[in-house]
Amino acid sequence: MPILFGVVLLDLIGFGIVIPILPFLSPQLGATKIDIALIIVTYAVFAGISGPFWGRLSDRRGRKPVIMICLAGAAASYVMLALASELWMIFAARAFAGIMAGNLGVASAMMSDITAPEKRAKGMGMIGAAFGLGLVLGPLLGGLLAGSSGSFVLPCLVAGCMSMLAILAAALFLPESVTAQRRAAHRQAHRDGSRQSTRAMLRATGNRLLVLQYVLHAAAISSVTYLVPLWLGDVLGWGAREVGLVFGVQGAIMVLLQGGLLGTLVRLLGEWQLLRLSVAAFMAGLCLAVLAGGMPLMLAAVYIAMSGSTLCMPLLNTITSHRTPADLRGQMLGTTASAASWGRVVGPLLAGGNLAAFGYTGAWLGCIVLVSMYLAWALSPHPAPLVSQASSTEETPSHDYPTV
């Protein structure tokens, strides 16, 4: 677990270095605000397309080589950004980065492989904590590297070096979590044509509605991430520095909740009850945003909503792993990562349309509609997990449908 945490952290520090500078890099090459939005959407679209492929490949070839391939692709995309001299080159670099963005889904599948069911929520929380810490340290490092000159070549090259360090750490220290027997069975199924499609897998495992929640969650949180800087800037007159501090504090809260408290909370409440409370907190923060008019209530709304949402993803991943046979986890968690990417396409577009048509009140109400569907699903009855809570880390529950 600590090794996997370190590999993911190095990767996400590189990711965090580059993402905040894109809105400033792109205008230097003639990008408009619409172009910047399209650059963000381009990454999410290609990540949504490629996610299931990387998950299936990790089932056949193992988690470790796929993680290393994706890290190499990320490093190459950062170098492409550093060398970009025309706007189309930024689009190409972000499209390629999206194609190679399989790491979080595959890393989640590996964490599921190496943790016992009763410790899986803590393991998924460590992946989320690495994400949060990377998005705290990355932007800070990116800003320092860019300096007063505003040159973005050095930050992009350092981001590439972070991915290369992650490859080295994975090669030297990260063990493979999928047994040779399981990999051979998946390869044979792939060769003889008995590999199951994603749609058939979702129908057979009963996870279709579960995957939809990844879309709703990602759409809602990406809407919030899009709206908060604009909201704080327009209402309070804040700039990039103040908004950056807000997100930095939230990143620290994310690390504390996911890395420190999640395991304890799951032991006390269970995954489902904690998920319901987390989605309810997300909803409460959004409702407060509709009513907030001054700085204290606005910040309270942001922190309540985002703190509730930050617990949801590791809990969804934990529930998904319990609902999926071990030999299908790579495909399943690759599919959920893809679903989340499509949510990140829908969310900013929906929030932007509502903001233009109805103002901030309408935009926040649109988020509330998304989260209300999410909460209704969480509160509804759910069948028992396919994977027994008492089983080991090598669960191989019987099922009557073909493996991938």
Side-chain angles (χ1 to χ4, degrees):
M1 287 171 64
I3 296 170
L4 183 57
F5 173 86
V7 169
V8 173
L9 176 60
L10 285 172
D11 180 34
L12 286 166
I13 289 175
F15 181 84
I17 288 173
V18 169
I19 293 303
I21 71 175
L22 279 175
F24 302 97
L25 169 63
S26 305
Q28 293 184 359
L29 301 179
T32 65
K33 289 184 178 180
I34 294 175
D35 290 324
I36 293 171
L38 291 175
I39 289 169
I40 296 171
V41 168
T42 296
Y43 175 88
V45 167
F46 281 92
I49 293 171
S50 67
F53 165 77
W54 293 118
R56 291 193 298 267
L57 187 64
S58 76
D59 285 332
R60 294 200 306 272
R61 300 296 179 182
R63 316 289 190 220
K64 179 176 177 176
V66 171
I67 287 175
M68 293 175 66
I69 290 170
C70 291
L71 287 169
S77 74
Y78 298 143
V79 174
M80 291 168 67
L81 271 182
L83 299 177
S85 58
E86 297 184 31
L87 184 58
W88 71 265
M89 298 174 73
I90 294 182
F91 277 97
R94 297 312 294 159
F96 182 72
I99 291 171
M100 304 304 294
N103 262 346
L104 281 181
V106 176
S108 296
M110 175 175 271
M111 186 62 78
S112 180
D113 294 337
I114 65 176
T115 52
E118 64 274 11
K119 295 183 179 180
R120 193 158 298 150
K122 180 180 179 181
M124 294 299 182
M126 288 186 68
I127 296 291
F131 189 91
L133 194 56
L135 294 185
V136 172
L137 298 178
L140 175 63
L141 184 57
L144 293 175
L145 292 170
S148 58
S149 65
S151 173
F152 301 116
V153 174
L154 183 58
C156 293
L157 292 178
V158 170
C161 289
M162 298 300 292
S163 291
M164 295 304 295
L165 285 174
I167 292 174
L168 182 62
L172 293 177
F173 305 115
L174 190 64
E176 178 54 61
S177 64
V178 182
T179 64
Q181 182 181 6
R182 280 173 55 191
R183 295 198 302 271
H186 280 287
R187 288 195 295 270
Q188 181 60 42
H190 183 73
R191 284 193 296 268
D192 63 22
S194 61
R195 178 177 66 86
Q196 194 171 39
S197 70
T198 297
R199 180 180 295 181
M201 177 200 66
L202 293 177
R203 183 173 60 251
T205 56
N207 286 337
R208 285 175 292 185
L209 283 178
L210 176 58
V211 169
L212 177 60
Q213 308 318 306
Y214 284 82
V215 179
L216 293 174
H217 174 88
I221 193 59
S222 62
S223 296
V224 171
T225 305
Y226 168 81
L227 289 169
V228 164
L230 301 175
W231 190 45
L232 296 177
D234 289 343
V235 177
L236 300 179
W238 285 5
R241 179 179 177 274
E242 292 83 1
V243 173
L245 287 173
V246 170
F247 279 98
V249 171
Q250 182 57 45
I253 294 173
M254 182 178 181
V255 172
L256 175 64
L257 289 175
Q258 294 193 0
L261 297 178
L262 182 59
T264 300
L265 292 173
V266 167
R267 284 196 300 272
L268 292 174
L269 301 172
E271 287 97 352
W272 277 109
Q273 187 61 21
L274 183 57
L275 178 65
R276 292 172 182 129
L277 291 174
S278 299
V279 180
F282 193 1
M283 171 76 82
L286 294 174
C287 291
L288 183 58
V290 174
L291 303 173
M295 182 181 69
L297 286 180
M298 291 173 70
L299 291 181
V302 171
Y303 288 132
I304 291 171
M306 297 187 77
S307 296
S309 70
T310 202
L311 287 174
C312 294
M313 188 56 73
L315 290 168
L316 282 176
N317 283 338
T318 302
I319 290 167
T320 299
S321 72
H322 290 324
R323 292 282 311 145
T324 307
D327 53 351
L328 294 178
R329 282 198 194 124
Q331 183 180 5
M332 185 67 215
L333 287 167
T335 300
T336 59
S338 173
S341 293
W342 288 113
R344 286 188 287 272
V345 173
V346 172
L349 296 176
L350 182 63
N354 285 334
L355 179 60
F358 308 111
Y360 285 107
T361 299
W364 289 125
L365 288 173
C367 295
I368 289 172
V369 171
L370 292 175
V371 178
S372 66
M373 292 188 286
Y374 189 9
L375 182 59
W377 171 82
L379 292 173
S380 64
H382 295 279
L386 295 178
V387 179
S388 170
Q389 294 294 315
S391 60
S392 69
T393 60
E394 288 294 327
E395 305 107 330
T396 52
S398 60
H399 47 82
D400 57 0
Y401 46 90
T403 58
V404 177

